[in-house]
Amino acid sequence: MADSIFHFGAGKADGSKDMRDLLGGKGANLAEMSSLGIPVPPGFTITTAVCNAYAITDALPQGFTQELQQAVAVLEGAMQRSFGDTTSPLLVSVRSGAKFSMPGMMDTVLNLGLNSQTVKSLAAASNNERFAYDSYRRFIQMYANVVRGVDTRPMEELLTAVKKKSGVKTDADLSATQMRDLAGEFLQIYADVLGEPFPEDPWEQLLGAIKAVFQSWSGRRAKVYRRLHNIPDSLGTACNIQCMVFGNLGNDSATGVAFTRNPSTGARHIYGEYLINAQGEDVVAGIRTPQPIRQADAAGSGVVSMEESMPALFKELTTVCAKLERHYVDMQDVEFTIEAGKLWLLQTRNGKRTAEAALKIASDLVKENIIDKKTALMRVQPDQLEQLLHPTIDPNFKRTVLVKGLAASPGAGSGRVTFDADEAEKRSSNGEKVILVREETSPEDIHGMYAAVGILTSTGGLTSHAAVVARGMGKPCIVGCNAIHVDSKKQEFATASTTVKDGDLITIDGSSGEVMLGEAPLIEAQLDENLLQFLQWSDQHRRLRVRANADTPQDAQRARELGAEGIGLCRTEHMFFDENRIALVRKMILVEKDADREEILQKLLGEQRQDFVEIFKAMSGLPVTIRLLDPPLHEFLPHDAEGVSFLSKKLDFDSEWLRSRINKLTEFNPMLGHRGCRLGITFPQIYDMQVQAIVEAACEVEAKAKGSVLPEIMIPLVGAAEEFHWLQARAEKICKEVLAKSRVQVSCLIGTMIEIPRAALTAGEIAEHAQFFSFGTNDLTQTALGMSRDDAGKFLDRYIEIGIYKRDPFSVLDQPGIGRLVRLACEEGRAARGDLKLGICGEHGGDPSSVRFFHEVGLDYVSCSTFRVPVARLAAAQAGIAASP
Amino acid sequence: MADSIFHFGAGKADGSKDMRDLLGGKGANLAEMSSLGIPVPPGFTITTAVCNAYAITDALPQGFTQELQQAVAVLEGAMQRSFGDTTSPLLVSVRSGAKFSMPGMMDTVLNLGLNSQTVKSLAAASNNERFAYDSYRRFIQMYANVVRGVDTRPMEELLTAVKKKSGVKTDADLSATQMRDLAGEFLQIYADVLGEPFPEDPWEQLLGAIKAVFQSWSGRRAKVYRRLHNIPDSLGTACNIQCMVFGNLGNDSATGVAFTRNPSTGARHIYGEYLINAQGEDVVAGIRTPQPIRQADAAGSGVVSMEESMPALFKELTTVCAKLERHYVDMQDVEFTIEAGKLWLLQTRNGKRTAEAALKIASDLVKENIIDKKTALMRVQPDQLEQLLHPTIDPNFKRTVLVKGLAASPGAGSGRVTFDADEAEKRSSNGEKVILVREETSPEDIHGMYAAVGILTSTGGLTSHAAVVARGMGKPCIVGCNAIHVDSKKQEFATASTTVKDGDLITIDGSSGEVMLGEAPLIEAQLDENLLQFLQWSDQHRRLRVRANADTPQDAQRARELGAEGIGLCRTEHMFFDENRIALVRKMILVEKDADREEILQKLLGEQRQDFVEIFKAMSGLPVTIRLLDPPLHEFLPHDAEGVSFLSKKLDFDSEWLRSRINKLTEFNPMLGHRGCRLGITFPQIYDMQVQAIVEAACEVEAKAKGSVLPEIMIPLVGAAEEFHWLQARAEKICKEVLAKSRVQVSCLIGTMIEIPRAALTAGEIAEHAQFFSFGTNDLTQTALGMSRDDAGKFLDRYIEIGIYKRDPFSVLDQPGIGRLVRLACEEGRAARGDLKLGICGEHGGDPSSVRFFHEVGLDYVSCSTFRVPVARLAAAQAGIAASP
């Protein structure tokens, strides 16, 4: 274990910011700041190598304790204090720090080294007994909770009770005696719960805390976070031991967090919160509502900003922030403590930000000539862009605001109130929209936050857990809404005038912080300038075209506005489900004679043609890929007794006959059944009608605007070249006939979806006939993984949990399996037909990592759902830049 | 069209037996016989090239008529007769002849050239008016039927009526006047039906007949036959024009068919049937029951054999047959005609034979030093062997024979009587066993014969349509059962004493010709000596091992007797369905707590162990691959209201709760659902129990007989290396624990099925862990083709009909698709693990063409259903010989 401990502090360091793998993000940046001459309390980092060794053996490596003692001796020397010494005790913080920031996920212990003796020395040394016992009771509580897993709510309740009894509002108002008494009671709770006394030996404390940090890496909440953020379990966390500096030493002390730019809007000024006479955890945990750092952010609120109360320190902080941002070439998120008028930096890292802020910061950095456009493009996570397109409340709607909190994450959402994360997940999976309401959130709530359409908390600031996590998820969120009282037990929250119960409908506006009763009308997002410019830059750096999956003229129009360069998938079955047509469609399916079927199809022809006319108009000048009928016919029919009875009356069919006919159409495995082009082979009249409608519509639109129509007819579920060729021949015949009748020239491509493995395996043969391939990666994933999307819920979570699939293969393309088929089909298809057009129209077309793969294998375009078009544009640019930086 | 016409006759020929592609089998062999100096009526063959040209243009090629005229002129010269001449007319036969023999499929016209004038010349020339008009009325009927598609049953009825009126039994007993009158009436029927007179012009007749031959190639019945026998549509048929020789010239004339050895038993003597004063069609069509050629076959029957009635000609025929057999090095099936005491050969071809005969003939030819063993092995179609294993009637059963006919195809079968081929197919597809009973069968009945378990006809001989086709299909068949009267309209058949109605149960013994009422007890076939020897030879020439799929000790025992070298697939779910266990299994599935589940599994453990003990004992010394539980759990549960209600009482579950629990387990696509190793991942206790049972059983058996147990644990439905590895680790742990407790050494392989495409695509990774692969080609076909076997019935027939798949991919491996995955997995699996054991356990393991593929890609073994084991052994040998002849 040569690499187990790295020192930093006093203007020098063993490590640097480039050693994140070994030191974690926090440790690497503490080293870097130290080297930069920024004031950092001295300390050392225990590396991730130790964590990984611990994960395997469940014990600290041999000889580690000696190394640790030597490292602590260095700190003792620097501080002229001694660990466990009763006269001049050294106190330390123990913090985790993984390679990637995992806010709230890992555990921290402050004030370690205190015990019944050293607390007295601290009181004497600081000449502040209240401070010493405040620190002590904090330490006991944190240690109990983090290191020993004790439920510390009774301690919180004691604290609240004391404040209430004394008639004071904040912890800072409690006296030294009260703090000492609390510490005593906390020790008693600890002993009662664990059946053993609180450890007096600082070394026992220290080793316990280090182990707790390493154990927390393998804890459930850390695993959930990593799974959600695609962080490998194998990284491990480092552990940082640092001399304590105290924000709770009095009114010339404080603690806070700051962003070098506004993380919500991206505005170019320092932004953050602080608390006087407090320790760092108070700000992040949202226990007290902190005050703004910048005067402008406090304007009119009556609270005192740091700029106002500590102007020199504010200036110093601003200077440090500017230095850090310039050094790291990105917006930073820093933690600081002011101990008796001296500023200490405890952490810096690239700051999380909303999509809006990410765009603005990246754009501004380009304008400030700090980064180039390519770098800017790589700075924004494509997934984030979608949140800019989330709905807002209709501005014409007259809002009746129930209550207002802090606007923590933009966008608006309406849903039913729930107070429990599990319940939120459950209801959401039943298709209900829910808003999760909590006093504050914790990492245990993440699954519920994920499931909710919005989050509302009564305490905490803009950097509280709820706020940070919601922004990352792109969910509307309001925090610190002090005016409501949340009673989780009663399942309700109350304002002065109103009580809102579990299941009641509310609307939250995460951009304004307003909470309203009932459901508000939401409207589509407007595209802001930064986004448009950013997407323009993206377009300059991508080879991959981006199309949308759209079935209606409205969808097509919206997709075009978002930059879609065509429609990659227009599903015709939705047109069949139109309520004015469904009866006719059902009749067409049910009749037994081909002649009757053809007669009905003739009636549907005109309507289908009109569908296509409107879509071609909306996409004038751009290609439109229309998929011929795909779902099994029984999907159009009712299956419940009531529906069958209604239909039998409506169509004048004998109900017994109808029931038996529907039963006959029912399938064991519809996914693998009589659908896709198998319908086209067995009921050729249906495809004939659709092809006729497409080509007639194309001629009609082309006649009015030359060059406007680029139709592409897509035959679904092909598995064999012969199958495609048989259908292609019919379609081409109809095409020719229609074109001969009209006097318009329209060039209509005929291609296929590659969505069953055999199609990929015989792509070379298919490409001898097909003019384009569009990978239907949804069905390809289902068939090649042998996994029904509708049924996988029963086991897929478990599969991801134990790492069989790293991500849900229906969201993120499974590259070793499905990707291999895609690559093979591309290569052999192109070998057979040099100008074969290649695209993808599964859900994966809007997933950034999948888009990168599609770029690499040489597709011409990706097609995705409308709101993912900007995501795909940026992802395509990043793929292009990554391939040739 | 340089290659349009080839002449033969009078000891020389343009063609030879090696020109079957161009001349068809019949034409090539006519040329060959002619060159050998065997008496063949002179003629010429119009090539398959002309047929193929006709198929495309629907017309005979330009200039063809002139060529035809020149060719006919050659015949005129040879015969000193003239086509259409009124004094000395040339008459010809027109026969089809494709590359592969298609009995009864193609059409023949005899006596062509006759008209109202030439018939008189024929009467004068032959000095036999009766003969001339007999020939004429035959010609009219054949031409009307074959060339013009006229329903000629009214003509048959007229003939029958005349015979009845005259009180005679056979056509031969009718007078010249009666024949002339019949001819006149036939002409009238022709004119009435078609609205035009019968063509008098022989050239019009000839061209019409040639076109009819070519058209019949594309007719439905020919297509059905080709599909069943895997003959490409592109081959085309040739058309043979030959001078007529007459078997109906009087009592010194005859016609017949002969086999050079007995086609039913393989016995080494001429075997066949003939009719005096008849034309060839009379024998084949089964209109008159013919007499045996050999005296031994007539013994005691009272009929006169050819050996007796025409001893010199019999001897000549025997000599010709011996010459032909020696020349063709195989048993021949010949057609001959005797015209006024002179023998003419009309056809020779390799004779169709029963499996028993095929084996005996091939073995005898080896013993006679005519062919070597390899050649013998290649002579027998592996598929045929299965029929030797078909059940026979228990010899202890006291038979009450209703009636007796000719034993046309061996084996016994019981089923319900049906008189209609469509009905037979319908009932069979509903799972009913049927016996098709007809006066005689025709090519239109083939689908019904295929569906039936046996065939019974009242007329026709051992070479009639029913007999030939049934032997090819390996179905029990009795023909010529004159003692029954079949009334298709009334849907019944009657003997003197009994009437059997549609739906009544009967048993037929195709080996004895006996028909019995009711169902007789059937027993397994005994392995005969020829078969055993043949399979021994096979074993010397195969590299591929053959295992069986067997789930019970009885199956295993039987498989071993048939030569299985192990069990390739032992399904454990069948054990779960055992009626004594199913309630416990259901409870195990339904309980919600893991602890409850484990408790029940402990109860099942002992029973599972005993299952495996018995199977290991049965397969002592041979490997046994046991597949862990595979089907989705809901398959074990009742789904109908009655079953649910019964179960809720039995297990004391609330019925509402039970219903909802079962509903929750139901899946949209069970094939792609929660099954296979997904059960092992989500309910690891189930697999744990199974692994424990397997290893404990192995130890128990091994302890008693060292070296007897070779268990292979097979994990199904693996799609990812991680998935396999997770389960393998658990299994290995249990394995070790059990082995540690016992003191026995058992080496237990752990491997997987490759049955979803992703497994094949990541085979290299999986092989890093798995010790063997067994290709589950059933499911691999379903997933890689995206085609549910249970639902494909709705479209697969159509797919095969239009040629998208040449054969049912569930019976014959789809090599371009599934085969590619198999090959890839073999290559990459072996690259990762040199000693990876490779096998296949899908249905395809018993299909000869698939076995050949598996040999080529280097599998170690195939595993198939028990009764296919001999088939696979021979197929494996043929694959080996084909690869290194």
Side-chain angles (χ1 to χ4, degrees), chain B residues 130 133-134 137-138 141 152-175 178-183 185-186 189 282 287-288:
Chain B
R130 189 209 153 278
Y133 282 99
D134 180 32
R137 64 98 193 164
R138 285 171 186 272
Q141 182 175 348
T152 51
R153 275 177 301 184
M155 299 184 187
E156 284 295 332
E157 285 160 13
L158 273 177
L159 181 65
T160 308
V162 172
K163 283 191 281 188
K164 200 171 178 184
K165 200 173 159 193
S166 318
V168 299
K169 278 199 164 178
T170 70
D171 302 356
D173 299 328
L174 293 177
S175 71
Q178 285 172 318
M179 286 296 183
R180 190 176 53 212
D181 292 348
L182 277 171
E185 290 180 272
F186 284 13
I189 290 172
D282 299 346
I287 292 166
R288 281 163 61 191

Side-chain angles (χ1 to χ4, degrees), chain A residues 183-204:
Chain A
E185 290 180 89
F186 285 11
L187 287 173
Q188 192 55 51
I189 290 172
Y190 182 97
D192 289 349
V193 172
L194 295 174
E196 58 181 80
F198 190 86
E200 286 276 299
D201 178 6
W203 287 104
E204 186 186 342

Side-chain angles (χ1 to χ4, degrees), chain A residues 723 758 799 814 820 828, chain B residues 723 758 799 814 820 828:
Chain A
E723 189 180 25
R758 195 184 190 277
Y799 266 59
D814 162 50
R820 185 171 185 185
E828 300 186 4
Chain B
E723 188 180 25
R758 195 183 190 277
Y799 266 59
D814 162 49
R820 185 171 184 184
E828 300 187 3

Side-chain angles (χ1 to χ4, degrees), chain A residues 243-265:
Chain A
C243 296
M244 280 301 302
V245 289
F246 296 97
N248 57 341
L249 204 53
N251 286 335
D252 58 350
S253 298
T255 189
V257 298
F259 293 89
T260 58
R261 305 194 182 210
N262 186 313
S264 189
T265 65

Side-chain angles (χ1 to χ4, degrees), chain A residues 664 668-672 678 723 756 758 761 784-788 790-791 794 799 814 820 828, chain B residues 664 667-672 678 723 756 758 761 784-788 790-791 794 799 814 820 828:
Chain A
K664 262 188 212 158
F668 292 96
N669 295 289
M671 172 67 214
L672 307 176
R678 296 162 191 174
E723 189 180 25
I756 54 182
R758 195 184 190 277
L761 293 164
L785 267 54
M787 201 182 276
S788 157
D790 295 326
D791 301 309
K794 295 194 177 75
Y799 266 59
D814 162 50
R820 185 171 185 185
E828 300 186 4
Chain B
K664 262 189 211 159
E667 297 181 300
F668 293 95
N669 294 290
M671 173 65 215
L672 307 177
R678 295 161 193 174
E723 188 180 25
I756 55 182
R758 195 183 190 277
L761 293 164
L785 266 54
M787 201 182 277
S788 156
D790 295 325
D791 301 309
K794 295 194 177 75
Y799 266 59
D814 162 49
R820 185 171 184 184
E828 300 187 3

